[in-house]
Amino acid sequence: MDLDFTPDQQAFRAEARAWLRAHVPTTPLPSLETADGFAAHRVWEAQLAADRWSVVSWPEEYGGRGVDIVRWLVFEEEYYAAGAPGRVGQNGINLLAPTLFDHGTREQRARVLPSMATGEVVWAQAWSEPEAGSDLASLISRAERTDGGWLLSGQKTWSSRAAFADRAFGLFRSEPDTPRPHQGLTYLMFDLRAPGVTVRPIGRLDGKPAFAELFLDDVFVPDEDVIGEPGQGWRVAMSTAGNERGLTLRSPGRFLAAADRLLNLWRQQGSSPTTHDRVADAVIGARAYQLFTYANASRFLDGESIGPESSLNKVFWSEYDIALHETALELLGEEGELADTDWAEGYVFSLAGPIYAGTNEIQRDIIAERLLGLPKGRR
């Protein structure tokens, strides 16, 4: 792997840095887990999109710049280093869009992606159910055939962004009598404001509704909103899950910037020797994750797929994020117990990391079986 950036990559970095320096709000936006904050972040998405910075890796016809994954990683580093707002469109941009590129139709991409890029339509992920979280294949929400489409019924829970989002994507059981539970599933997109949809926000530890329950009662979805073939949704969903655990959901730029903030906090708080090792671990970990990701990006550009190695990614960044924020809260002392600080909000969010995108217990099973070649365990 060549660790030197080309002149074109350096020019791209300079352009991104200059734009962000000129446009990132000087006053932080309200939390995107509130109604006002969600609206403010939607406006920010539109501002990014106006100059084609919201989806830099997408083709130009959908609002992107068509850059490769290395330039995307460069943009992410500059974005987080600039202290730019969180991305309210993340579920759609990082999860649904790659799925549409792999499994969607040309018509779906033309219809869905432009409004996703501008933040005009914000998407929620609707996978988990009360009895189907880590074991996604046990889901029971139904998609029943009707004239021109499907009727969705059932309950989804822990749906990220659904409290304020516009549309959602999820997996539904369309063939109830299949030999295996991951068969007979269909992947659909649906409107969160359609008749028959009830959205009930779920408050986090800090009370902010970062998630929601969705109750679906014969919600009509046209055939044009099925992704892939009916009954083949599991294969499509695994494509989404690979993106969620792999390169696109948590870029190294996020953790490089957080490690820098932690190092500055440690210095401001008196360079405590009791936290010296943990701060050093955070800085080293962010750099290691950066190099690991660039190595994977090089493999990807050479035509290789990432595969089960994405589980290593997911376990690392989810546990790293918690450790980094715990160190920050310890440095802050009593101030760290206040709910409305960036560090406290980041800590509360980090606690969900080992659970979403497939729990870390499941990821460790995948690592053991598929990467280390160990025998199957408890399943």
Side-chain angles (χ1 to χ4, degrees), residues 130-211:
E131 302 299 328
S134 298
D135 185 12
L136 182 63
S138 63
L139 63 86
I140 60 174
S141 290
R142 304 185 309 278
E144 297 180 354
R145 252 296 179 206
T146 189
D147 289 344
W150 303 79
L151 293 175
L152 307 185
S153 298
Q155 181 183 353
K156 299 289 184 178
T157 192
W158 303 116
S159 181
S160 305
R161 303 279 188 264
F164 307 113
D166 306 294
R167 291 177 62 83
F169 54 94
L171 207 55
F172 293 84
R173 190 162 298 285
S174 54
E175 300 170 24
D177 299 318
T178 56
R180 304 185 65 180
H182 62 270
Q183 297 174 337
L185 301 171
T186 297
Y187 200 120
L188 295 116
M189 302 178 283
F190 58 97
D191 191 335
L192 287 171
R193 299 186 180 88
V197 177
T198 300
V199 179
R200 181 187 296 170
I202 300 174
R204 295 188 310 201
L205 288 174
D206 60 6
K208 294 169 184 168
F211 308 95

Side-chain angles (χ1 to χ4, degrees), residues 245 310-318 353-358 360:
R245 297 166 192 160
S310 61
S311 295
L312 290 172
N313 255 19
K314 199 274 170 170
V315 170
F316 177 81
W317 59 247
S318 59
I355 301 170
Y356 65 78
N360 283 9

Side-chain angles (χ1 to χ4, degrees), residues 18-356:
W19 190 92
L20 291 163
R21 186 181 294 127
H23 292 85
V24 169
T26 53
T27 302
L29 302 182
S31 169
L32 62 80
E33 312 299 359
T34 64
D36 289 345
F38 199 92
H41 283 76
R42 196 194 289 264
V43 171
W44 169 247
E45 293 289 333
Q47 194 174 355
L48 284 167
D51 288 329
R52 294 182 176 271
W53 289 112
S54 67
V55 287
V56 294
S57 62
W58 290 10
E60 293 183 10
E61 64 184 299
Y62 303 126
R65 290 173 174 246
V67 304
D68 63 16
I69 192 168
V70 171
R71 285 179 175 79
W72 176 77
L73 290 168
V74 165
F75 173 73
E76 289 282 295
E77 288 179 9
E78 293 301 322
Y79 189 88
Y80 284 102
R87 302 296 303 273
V88 74
Q90 187 178 56
N91 283 326
I93 292 170
N94 292 342
L95 302 179
L96 179 58
T99 304
L100 288 172
F101 284 125
D102 288 342
H103 302 280
T105 65
R106 180 179 294 274
E107 184 278 329
Q108 286 174 331
R109 290 191 286 272
R111 174 165 51 90
V112 171
L113 295 181
S115 60
M116 183 191 295
T118 62
E120 179 184 352
V121 176
V122 177
W123 290 79
Q125 187 179 22
W127 281 23
S128 296
E129 298 183 2
E131 302 299 328
S134 298
D135 185 12
L136 182 63
S138 63
L139 63 86
I140 60 174
S141 290
R142 304 185 309 278
E144 297 180 354
R145 252 296 179 206
T146 189
D147 289 344
W150 303 79
L151 293 175
L152 307 185
S153 298
Q155 181 183 353
K156 299 289 184 178
T157 192
W158 303 116
S159 181
S160 305
R161 303 279 188 264
F164 307 113
D166 306 294
R167 291 177 62 83
F169 54 94
L171 207 55
F172 293 84
R173 190 162 298 285
S174 54
E175 300 170 24
D177 299 318
T178 56
R180 304 185 65 180
H182 62 270
Q183 297 174 337
L185 301 171
T186 297
Y187 200 120
L188 295 116
M189 302 178 283
F190 58 97
D191 191 335
L192 287 171
R193 299 186 180 88
V197 177
T198 300
V199 179
R200 181 187 296 170
I202 300 174
R204 295 188 310 201
L205 288 174
D206 60 6
K208 294 169 184 168
F211 308 95
E213 293 177 289
L214 306 177
F215 299 89
L216 309 172
D217 184 11
D218 284 343
V219 178
F220 176 75
V221 175
D223 283 325
E224 65 184 17
D225 280 346
V226 173
I227 302 177
E229 294 296 322
Q232 301 298 313
W234 185 258
R235 186 171 68 88
V236 182
M238 291 305 97
S239 173
T240 306
N243 287 308
E244 190 173 24
R245 297 166 192 160
L247 294 175
T248 58
L249 185 62
R250 293 288 177 262
S251 70
R254 177 192 184 102
F255 302 116
L256 289 166
D260 281 346
R261 288 175 55 219
L262 180 68
L263 180 58
N264 289 333
L265 177 66
W266 178 73
R267 288 170 173 158
Q268 292 165 7
Q269 298 295 108
S271 304
S272 163
T274 60
T275 50
H276 177 279
D277 287 351
R278 278 180 284 163
V279 173
D281 282 346
V283 174
I284 294 168
R287 176 63 170 156
Y289 182 56
Q290 180 193 32
L291 295 174
F292 178 79
T293 304
Y294 274 111
N296 276 339
S298 295
R299 291 175 51 199
F300 182 79
L301 290 173
D302 287 339
E304 296 183 39
S305 60
I306 305 304
E309 289 92 335
S310 61
S311 295
L312 290 172
N313 255 19
K314 199 274 170 170
V315 170
F316 177 81
W317 59 247
S318 59
E319 296 184 351
Y320 171 91
D321 204 20
I322 292 175
L324 181 146
H325 282 88
E326 286 178 340
T327 303
L329 295 187
E330 183 173 330
L331 286 168
L332 288 168
E334 294 179 354
E335 184 186 347
E337 298 179 9
L338 300 175
D340 286 329
T341 66
D342 288 344
W343 284 114
E345 181 155 325
Y347 174 64
V348 170
F349 184 81
S350 74
L351 294 176
I355 301 170
Y356 65 78

